Amino acid sequence: MDNGNRDPQPGGISIGTMHGSAVAQGSHAKAVNVTQSTADASELLAAVTALRDHLSVLGDLDAQLAAAQGEITATGEITAGRLEWLRDRIAIGATAATGLATAGQAAEQLARLIAGQV
């Protein structure tokens, strides 16, 4: 690999680019590579679990909204049962905003785990 590095000199080594590795040279040399994650996987699990919980409360909101559009387009009205269901989900929808914040936390945990493994 040529990254502008010089060729190895007698008794030496040349490394272009290296990530997550260790190199040793010589008869008594020892190479040790220790990778530590900067985030605990249990934190990621908690963030993913919370996100799924928050988003699951909305159920099949998109399908119900599409059905509501169809009803309103066809009849100019919406059935009371669907209206109540939508009202309940929209009220719970504030939880979706919390869920998006949780998604941000999950993304941070993933980034930390990835950074610790690179």
Side-chain angles (χ1 to χ4, degrees), residues 71-86:
E71 282 183 27
I72 294 167
T73 301
T75 67
E77 298 178 355
I78 186 170
T79 62
R82 187 177 322 277
L83 188 59
E84 289 174 14
W85 191 93
L86 288 171

Side-chain angles (χ1 to χ4, degrees), residues 37-54:
S37 176
T38 59
D40 184 349
S42 65
E43 294 174 11
L44 175 60
L45 177 60
V48 168
T49 301
L51 176 59
R52 291 191 70 212
D53 290 345
H54 289 304

Side-chain angles (χ1 to χ4, degrees), residues 57-110:
V57 299
L58 296 177
D60 60 343
L61 181 59
D62 186 58
Q64 291 293 332
L65 288 170
Q69 282 179 307
E71 282 183 27
I72 294 167
T73 301
T75 67
E77 298 178 355
I78 186 170
T79 62
R82 187 177 322 277
L83 188 59
E84 289 174 14
W85 191 93
L86 288 171
R87 181 201 62 210
D88 292 344
R89 291 310 179 279
I90 298 302
I92 294 171
T95 303
T98 302
L100 292 175
T102 304
Q105 293 171 354
E108 288 177 23
Q109 295 300 323
L110 287 167

Side-chain angles (χ1 to χ4, degrees), residues 1-18 22-25:
M1 172 189 289
D2 182 12
N3 287 333
N5 294 328
R6 298 182 343 198
D7 289 333
Q9 299 300 309
I13 60 173
S14 177
I15 300 171
T17 302
M18 185 170 79
V23 174
Q25 179 186 14

